[in-house]
Amino acid sequence: MKIRDMSIGDYTNAYALWLSCPGIGLHPADDSREGIARFLDRNPKTCFVAEADGRLIGTIMAGNDGRRGYNYHTAVHPNYRGRGIGSALVQAAIQALERLGIGKAALVVLETNADGNVFWEKQGFTVRTDLTYRNKTLEQTD
């Protein structure tokens, strides 16, 4: 298994991977090719893919606002789970954020994503019960 920087050339395979993983929330604007390209342009050294057997089998996209890091679309193909690939991707992203001087990372997991919530708990990410997450869509999609 090899971990490397993610590029927009990985988009088609990454999107197919995300679709194969129940619990990944996708949005037509945010997760379009253009949306992912914008994210990768802003975060070229904090997004990674895992490859094995000549195929893309895992992703993590991390970014930051200068103070805090945020993880998105952490996924491992169901046939490759339980081998430490997700943990390796998380460590790659955390180390990349630390090199940028970021000392805290956060993420959002859908409440219904039981596997995802167990995974993130094992990675040391705790649940915040003192917050209400709010969202407003600024761009309407067709």
Side-chain angles (χ1 to χ4, degrees), residues 1 3 50 57-60 74-77 80-94 119-120 123:
M1 189 262 311
I3 294 179
I57 59 162
T59 63
I60 189 167
T74 305
V76 173
H77 190 280
Y80 290 85
R81 291 185 182 164
R83 302 180 192 185
I85 297 165
S87 296
L89 286 164
V90 170
Q91 283 308 307
I94 287 173
F119 171 80
W120 287 110
Q123 299 304 309

Side-chain angles (χ1 to χ4, degrees), residues 46 70 81:
T46 57
Y70 299 92
R81 291 185 182 164

